[in-house]
Amino acid sequence: NAGVIQTPRHKVTGKGQEATLWCEPISGHSAVFWYRQTIVQGLEFLTYFRNQAPIDDSGMPKERFSAQMPNQSHSTLKIQSTQPQDSAVYLCASSFDRAEQYFGPGTRLTVL
Amino acid sequence: QQQVRQSPQSLTVWEGETAILNCSYENSAFDYFPWYQQFPGEGPALLIAIRSVSDKKEDGGFTIFFNKREKNLSLHIKDSQPGDSATYFCAARNSGTYQRFGTGTKLQVVP
């Protein structure tokens, strides 16, 4: 079992460009979560899916951020028109029963 | 609104000492409290967890003490080793919601 896979591990974009982050959950897990981690804000919940359906996106910024889970094997987080304040480590986690979440290594996004 | 709070923000202990990390929460409906350990460059990893029906949970050198009435809990790391140096996150949830995370405690164990 490879654990949760996130790609790329590092991404550098210019201001105004689009960034797409990928997450492959652990096989058999029904829930996928996205978080953003910064020194200042800590671990911020963004959104989560259960059985591919969006359940709660209350943590997602209202503009420029979107997440999808087109099939049970991957989820994407897309940030349009990236801004320097979007620079963070984006973490994906999956779980079978929502109680124990298994995190991926994260994608470090740097917006210049 | 920070529903889960942790203290101290950073902690330094000597090798062999017991490190005590504190966590408090606001929502009395929370019933599951996991602690996660995170090393630089990695995602958080579940370390130990407790449900609100218990007041203590032990796993190896890690112990959670839980006080439901006071809405706080603590993680004790016995016989701390340099390899325990990491950031520790307390989280809380109740059925039907996602986990809320605290801001973390950065632990340094000095040889």
Side-chain angles (χ1 to χ4, degrees):
Chain A
N1 192 330
V4 174
I5 298 172
Q6 289 190 251
T7 54
R9 291 294 310 275
H10 303 273
K11 186 170 182 66
V12 180
T13 65
K15 183 179 175 181
Q17 292 184 327
E18 181 178 289
T20 300
L21 313 180
W22 291 71
C23 171
E24 182 179 329
I26 293 172
S27 178
H29 280 191
S30 56
V32 170
F33 303 80
W34 283 97
Y35 296 87
R36 176 169 62 182
Q37 186 173 30
T38 61
I39 298 293
V40 175
Q41 298 294 334
L43 263 170
E44 297 178 275
F45 166 82
L46 294 176
T47 186
Y48 94 92
F49 298 84
R50 189 189 310 145
N51 296 322
Q52 299 172 235
I55 302 298
D56 186 338
D57 66 354
S58 58
M60 290 277 274
K62 298 307 177 191
E63 297 178 354
R64 303 186 295 106
F65 282 66
S66 62
Q68 294 183 327
M69 191 163 184
N71 57 59
Q72 63 185 10
S73 64
H74 88 272
S75 174
T76 58
L77 179 68
K78 184 181 291 185
I79 309 171
Q80 295 177 312
S81 185
T82 54
Q83 303 297 310
Q85 61 265 31
D86 299 331
S87 297
V89 174
Y90 290 83
L91 290 160
C92 175
S94 71
S95 74
F96 178 69
D97 59 2
R98 288 187 300 118
E100 297 183 8
Q101 294 185 15
Y102 295 84
F103 283 82
T107 294
R108 180 174 295 278
L109 175 66
T110 302
V111 182
L112 301 176
Chain B
Q1 181 185 5
Q2 189 66 35
Q3 295 199 37
V4 179
R5 300 180 190 276
Q6 288 186 248
S7 64
Q9 189 172 6
S10 63
L11 176 66
T12 300
V13 300
W14 294 104
E15 181 176 353
E17 291 186 333
T18 296
I20 300 175
L21 289 64
N22 301 303
C23 178
S24 63
Y25 60 97
E26 297 180 359
N27 188 342
S28 57
F30 288 148
D31 60 6
Y32 177 75
F33 304 87
W35 284 84
Y36 290 82
Q37 179 187 56
Q38 185 178 30
F39 295 106
E42 299 180 10
L46 180 66
L47 184 65
I48 185 173
I50 192 168
R51 296 193 181 274
S52 59
V53 294
S54 302
D55 56 15
K56 183 180 177 182
K57 177 76 176 288
E58 285 183 86
D59 187 352
F62 300 96
T63 304
I64 300 174
F65 293 93
F66 179 71
N67 187 323
K68 188 172 183 177
R69 186 170 61 87
E70 298 292 329
K71 291 193 284 188
N72 61 45
L73 59 158
S74 60
L75 174 68
H76 291 225
I77 304 175
K78 186 179 175 183
D79 188 24
S80 299
Q81 298 298 308
D84 294 325
S85 297
T87 299
Y88 292 82
F89 292 95
C90 171
R93 77 163 186 92
N94 59 291
S95 58
T97 70
Y98 57 88
Q99 290 179 164
R100 269 70 164 180
F101 283 83
T103 52
T105 293
K106 187 173 183 179
L107 173 67
Q108 184 177 12
V109 181
V110 180

